[in-house]
């Protein structure tokens, strides 16, 4: 499990992965609790060294998929492979050890940092938990990490409330990276920051990836933001991956009507253009994941819907080099 991975080889894989939740039974309701399939039969490969962005509207299952991949949330079906080994059934101490290679970074750094712990203790804790007990080594690693995330070493004795939002996110990132994990799930790590800070923190993510040979699953609902940053993009809709491919290919030629609609609705980076642009909106409500539409889950909102789409769920098909989409129109003469 500690073998190094060749850049580009599969690092984390989901095979037929599903995660369901039983929604809480309503008080005095005679109905059975609803089962929400937050992630449904997902196949996904994250390659060593890449940044894979996971995008899609709120509630489509991005966070659930990210957490299930790093085994912090139980899955209901399917397998998870890490460096080719099945980790879906690990329990207890072996699971805990495997998870040292995985880290998560959240949207709100304030919520993910303990307000009662100094920066030094916040960064030292994961080292101590995973067996480093030499104080000199701990101090050296904490200082190295503070340098790497662009924070003054003198900040080590301060507490989270003494920092700005951007600095707090740097502390949370330092804590996630200090054990040199193989794989980081960053769940909307920019959403709480203003635009100028977002760019700085993105640059930090990229620097750290190169320096520490990290691999990211970067969860975001902001398509425009991830395209310049991610190597590949996976698009999720109602618990399913509907399109995946190189970021440059998807932005140039999105194959799935859902990706096309998301891209059309994404704000333009040019504020003047943005002010005058008519934004095509995705019509219709997002259906309930407890009762997803038959056939293609997107058919109730799709501008190109055909009768077939209501009955047959499309499989992933090649939509170009390294690009795949789950749509009956892809690869057909009409496209
Ligand atoms: N602990 C839970 N119990 C019950 N249902 C849940 C739970 N966590 C998530 N869900 C449901 O699973 C679905 C997917 O949720 P998830 O949080 O993964 O979406 P998301 O894409 O991360 O959304 P957002 O962009 O808002 O963060 C939603 O319908 C959500 O209500
Ligand atoms: Mg989420």
């Amino acid at each position: 499990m500690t073998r190094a991975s060749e850049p580009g080889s599969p690092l984390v894989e989901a095979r037929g992965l599903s995660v369901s939740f039983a929604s809480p039974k309503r008080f005095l309701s005679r109905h059975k609790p609803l089962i929400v399939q937050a992630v449904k039969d997902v196949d996904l490969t994250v390659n060593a060294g890449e940044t894979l962005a996971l995008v899609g509207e709120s509630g489509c299952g991005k966070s659930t998929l990210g957490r299930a991949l790093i085994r912090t949330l139980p899955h209901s079906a399917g397998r998870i492979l890490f460096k080719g080994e099945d980790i879906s059934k690990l329990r207890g101490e072996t699971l805990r050890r495997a998870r040292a290679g995985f880290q998560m970074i959240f949207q709100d750094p304030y919520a993910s940092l303990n307000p009662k712990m100094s920066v030094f203790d916040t960064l030292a804790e994961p080292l101590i938990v995973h067996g480093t007990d030499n104080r000199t080594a701990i101090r050296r690693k904490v200082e190295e990490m503070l340098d790497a995330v662009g924070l003054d070493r003198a900040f080590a004795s301060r507490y989270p409330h003494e920092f700005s939002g951007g600095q707090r996110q740097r502390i949370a990132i330092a804590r996630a990276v200090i054990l040199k994990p193989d794989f980081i799930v960053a769940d909307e790590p920019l959403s709480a920051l203003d635009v100028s800070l977002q760019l700085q923190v993105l640059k930090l993510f990229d620097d750290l990836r190169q320096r520490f040979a990290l691999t990211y699953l970067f969860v975001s609902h902001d398509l425009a933001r991830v395209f310049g940053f991610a190597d590949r993009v996976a698009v999720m809709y109602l618990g399913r991956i509907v399109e995946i491919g190189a970021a440059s290919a998807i932005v140039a030629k999105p194959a799935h009507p859902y990706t096309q609609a998301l891209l059309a609705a994404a704000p333009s980076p040019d504020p003047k253009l943005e002010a005058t642009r008519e934004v095509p909106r995705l019509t219709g409500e997002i259906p309930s994941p407890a009762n997803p539409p038959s056939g293609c889950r997107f058919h109730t909102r799709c501008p190109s819907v055909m009768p077939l789409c209501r009955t047959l769920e499309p499989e992933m098909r090649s939509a170009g080099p390294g690009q795949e989409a789950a749509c009956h129109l892809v690869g057909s003469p009409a496209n």
Side-chain angles (χ1 to χ4, degrees), residues 192-211:
L193 307 175
D194 64 40
V195 175
S196 63
L197 280 177
Q198 288 186 0
L199 295 177
Q200 291 176 22
V201 173
L202 265 187
K203 184 169 179 312
L204 174 63
F205 271 105
D206 224 22
D207 292 347
L208 293 174
R209 172 168 67 129
Q210 289 174 36
R211 181 157 169 192

Side-chain angles (χ1 to χ4, degrees), residues 13-301:
E13 298 165 81
R15 294 286 165 257
L17 192 67
S18 297
V19 182
S20 349
F21 298 107
S23 69
K25 197 170 180 287
R26 253 179 276 142
F27 187 58
L28 290 181
S29 158
R30 279 179 290 115
H31 300 290
K32 281 197 201 144
L34 287 174
I35 302 295
V36 174
Q37 290 218 311
V39 171
K40 174 79 170 84
D41 200 11
V42 161
D43 288 330
L44 180 70
T45 300
V46 188
N47 296 314
E50 77 171 338
T51 298
L52 175 63
L54 182 61
V55 303
E57 289 162 296
S58 182
C60 69
K62 305 180 295 295
S63 300
T64 304
L65 175 57
R67 284 164 188 253
L69 281 178
I70 57 170
R71 294 284 329 265
T72 53
L73 194 70
H75 51 284
S76 41
R79 295 190 304 149
I80 301 147
L81 309 182
F82 176 55
K83 296 181 184 173
E85 286 184 42
D86 192 338
I87 59 159
S88 22
K89 299 206 170 59
L90 297 185
R91 298 272 176 274
E93 180 57 22
T94 29
L95 175 60
R96 199 185 72 85
R97 258 187 279 126
R99 277 206 298 234
F102 304 144
Q103 288 293 324
M104 186 130 186
I105 294 168
F106 298 94
Q107 171 177 340
D108 180 359
Y110 207 56
S112 62
L113 296 173
N114 183 338
K116 297 202 180 101
M117 276 165 82
S118 69
V119 170
F120 182 85
D121 290 341
T122 301
L123 300 193
E125 187 185 60
L127 296 170
I128 294 165
V129 168
H130 285 95
T132 313
D133 52 11
N134 178 317
R135 285 211 61 87
T136 322
I138 292 173
R139 176 150 295 278
R140 188 175 42 77
K141 284 189 181 177
V142 168
E143 288 180 347
E144 218 175 75
M145 236 19 257
L146 287 171
D147 295 347
V149 299
L151 289 173
D152 199 313
R153 290 182 178 192
F155 289 172
S157 56
R158 299 196 191 169
Y159 288 81
H161 71 90
E162 299 177 65
F163 294 96
S164 68
Q167 288 172 323
R168 278 200 290 264
Q169 194 55 298
R170 285 175 193 267
I171 299 166
I173 293 169
R175 181 181 158 88
V177 174
I178 201 158
L179 288 174
K180 315 271 160 70
D182 296 281
F183 181 49
I184 294 185
V185 174
D187 194 351
E188 305 267 8
L190 309 176
S191 310
L193 307 175
D194 64 40
V195 175
S196 63
L197 280 177
Q198 288 186 0
L199 295 177
Q200 291 176 22
V201 173
L202 265 187
K203 184 169 179 312
L204 174 63
F205 271 105
D206 224 22
D207 292 347
L208 293 174
R209 172 168 67 129
Q210 289 174 36
R211 181 157 169 192
F212 299 111
L214 303 172
T215 302
Y216 297 135
L217 182 73
F218 200 90
V219 174
S220 177
H221 61 262
D222 184 349
L223 250 85
R225 180 63 72 227
V226 298
F227 269 103
F229 170 69
D231 301 302
R232 290 193 304 147
V233 174
V235 182
M236 244 183 134
Y237 186 76
L238 268 182
R240 307 275 299 154
I241 304 268
V242 296
E243 180 157 9
I244 187 162
S248 54
I250 292 194
V251 78
K253 193 172 157 288
H256 198 288
Y258 179 59
T259 317
Q260 292 164 3
L262 279 184
L263 273 170
S268 156
D270 179 343
K272 277 200 212 116
L273 262 182
E274 182 56 27
T276 57
R277 199 171 68 105
E278 280 199 30
V279 180
R281 291 251 162 247
L282 264 169
T283 51
E285 294 277 301
I286 306 178
S288 159
N291 186 20
S294 60
C296 172
R297 292 177 172 221
F298 187 56
H299 87 249
T300 54
R301 299 167 79 198

